[in-house]
Amino acid sequence: MKAMIIDRSDATPAIRQGDIEPPSRTRGQVLIRVQAASVNRADLAVLAGTHAAPGAAGAPAVVGLDAAGTVVEADEDSGFSVGDRVMTMVGGGLAEYVAIDARFPVPLPDSWTFEEGAGAIVALMTEHNALRTAGQLRDGDAVLINAANSGVGQMAIQIARHLGAGRIIAGVRTHREDALLTTLGADTVINTGAGGFAEQVLDASDGQGVDIIIDHVGGPYLADHIKAAALQARLIGVGRLGGAEGTLDMETLAFKRVEIIGVTFRTRSLEEKVRIVEAMREDLDNALAAGKLKPRIDRVLPWTEVRSAQNLVAGNDHLGKVILQVGT
C-alpha cells in the first residue's frame, strides 16, 4: 500500500510517498481504509526528531497521528461492521490503511465528513482529558484557554462550554479571531501577546482568577498563569509552543494551592488511552451526534502536499485544522 514516509537518508529529513506492507489485522483490531488525516503540531516534532516516530522499531516511519475512514475488516464482537465510518487517533495515519485496537475508533457523526473527523479526534481526546480528567472541570468553573485560535484551542472552548464552564477566557496573540472564538463559546478574548496578560484575566474574572488554565504555550506564560490562577486552580500543561522553561513563583504557587499537571499521550499505555476514549465518549457522544461540537477546517489538500500543509501549520498561517485527503 502507499504511505507518506519520513526519509532521513539526507541531512535534512524529507517526506516521500512510498510503498510499504499493508497492516495485518489481528484479533481485537479493526482495519480502516483511510480517507483523511490532519496535520498536528506533534507531526512537526516527529519530523524534527525531537519526538519518536510512531510504529514498530525498524519499520518505515509513516507520517500522521490520526485518521478518518471506513472499516473494511472487524471482529463480529468488536462493535463495528464493515462500512462503518470512524475517526481515530493512530500513529501513521497518512497511509491507505491502518489497523487499530477496536476500542479506539470513534463513530463518525452522520453529518460529518471524513475531513471533519480527521480534524476533530485528537483535539477531542486531548482537550476533554485536559478539562475533565486532569482539570476536574465543575459547573461554573472559570477557564482560561491560551492559543485558543488553534485547532485544539477551538475545540477546548466548545468542550468547556458544553461541560458547564462558567466564564471562558480565550487567549490569543492577535484579535483577528475574536468573532470566531466568541461564536464558539468564549466570553472574553484577551491578547496574550502584549505581555503581562494576567491582569487582563483578573479583570475578566472580577479579580478572582480562573479555576482551570489550559496551557498550549508553555514556559513563557508560566508566571502570568500563576498570577491569574484562583485559589486551588488547576494548571494543565498540554503544549509547549513557546518553549519548555519558565519562571515559577513558588510562594504564590503555595499560597494559592495551585496544582500543575502535565499531560501527554507519548508516555501513556494503550489501556490508558482507551480509558481516555471511553471517558470522552461518555461525556461527548450525544453532543457530537447533535452537532454541538465541530472542528473548523481551514483548508483541505491532497496528501501529496503534506510538506506544504506542515509548513502552513509551522508558520501559523491557518485558522482551524489543515486536512490531507488520502489517495488524492
Side-chain angles (χ1 to χ4, degrees):
M1 70 172 184
K2 295 190 181 301
M4 292 297 173
I5 303 167
I6 297 176
D7 184 350
R8 300 192 186 279
S9 58
D10 295 327
T12 302
I15 298 175
R16 62 177 177 82
Q17 187 178 88
D19 291 306
I20 64 173
E21 288 294 320
S24 178
R25 186 185 73 87
T26 60
R27 173 72 182 168
Q29 291 185 323
V30 295
L31 183 67
I32 300 168
R33 171 68 171 94
V34 180
Q35 301 290 338
S38 80
V39 180
N40 297 282
R41 288 199 174 270
D43 293 321
L44 308 179
V46 170
L47 184 63
T50 58
H51 285 22
V62 179
V63 181
L65 297 173
D66 55 46
T70 305
V71 174
V72 294
E73 290 182 18
D75 298 328
E76 290 185 0
D77 59 354
S78 67
F80 291 102
S81 301
V82 173
D84 284 349
R85 301 164 69 248
V86 297
M87 53 185 174
T88 186
M89 180 183 285
V90 58
L94 271 179
E96 292 182 303
Y97 294 90
V98 294
I100 188 74
D101 188 294
R103 298 170 294 174
F104 228 60
V106 175
L108 204 61
D110 291 341
S111 63
W112 282 29
T113 65
F114 289 116
E115 290 76 16
E116 288 170 327
I121 187 61
V122 169
L124 286 167
M125 291 175 61
T126 299
E127 301 304 317
H128 178 270
N129 177 257
L131 284 160
R132 179 69 98 188
T133 305
Q136 294 293 296
L137 176 63
R138 297 180 288 265
D139 283 353
D141 277 347
V143 179
L144 167 65
I145 300 164
N146 62 34
N149 55 332
S150 64
V152 288
Q154 291 176 35
M155 188 59 71
I157 292 171
Q158 296 178 69
I159 293 173
R161 178 59 67 210
H162 175 70
L163 294 179
R167 179 163 293 277
I168 299 174
I169 302 170
V172 296
R173 294 181 64 84
T174 70
H175 280 292
R176 67 189 177 103
E177 305 91 353
D178 288 16
L180 169 64
L181 300 182
T182 301
T183 300
L184 293 177
D187 297 292
T188 304
V189 181
I190 65 168
N191 185 350
T192 58
F197 64 83
E199 288 74 18
Q200 297 178 63
V201 177
L202 291 169
D203 287 345
S205 59
D206 299 322
Q208 299 301 303
V210 288
D211 303 293
I212 298 174
I213 299 166
I214 303 299
D215 178 20
H216 298 116
V217 175
Y221 285 7
L222 180 58
D224 274 308
H225 282 155
I226 297 301
K227 290 178 185 176
L231 290 176
Q232 295 183 280
R234 287 81 70 197
L235 168 55
I236 315 302
V238 178
R240 288 150 296 282
L241 296 174
E245 298 182 358
T247 301
L248 176 61
D249 182 340
M250 297 289 290
E251 179 60 31
T252 304
L253 177 78
F255 181 80
K256 292 185 175 182
R257 291 172 284 156
V258 175
E259 295 181 64
I260 301 178
I261 305 167
V263 295
T264 183
F265 284 98
R266 285 177 289 153
T267 53
R268 284 181 167 130
S269 67
L270 173 62
E271 295 301 322
E272 288 176 305
K273 293 175 183 177
V274 167
R275 288 195 293 272
I276 289 172
V277 173
E278 292 171 344
M280 183 269 289
R281 294 195 60 186
E282 183 177 351
D283 270 348
L284 303 183
D285 261 4
N286 290 339
L288 291 171
K292 294 180 179 179
L293 306 173
K294 208 166 190 180
R296 184 184 191 278
I297 305 301
D298 181 89
R299 69 194 75 186
V300 178
L301 300 170
W303 70 332
T304 51
E305 295 185 26
V306 57
R307 282 301 288 133
S308 296
Q310 290 184 343
N311 288 337
L312 286 171
V313 173
N316 295 315
D317 191 20
H318 64 298
L319 184 56
K321 293 293 291 187
V322 177
I323 307 297
L324 297 164
Q325 289 182 324
V326 174
T328 60

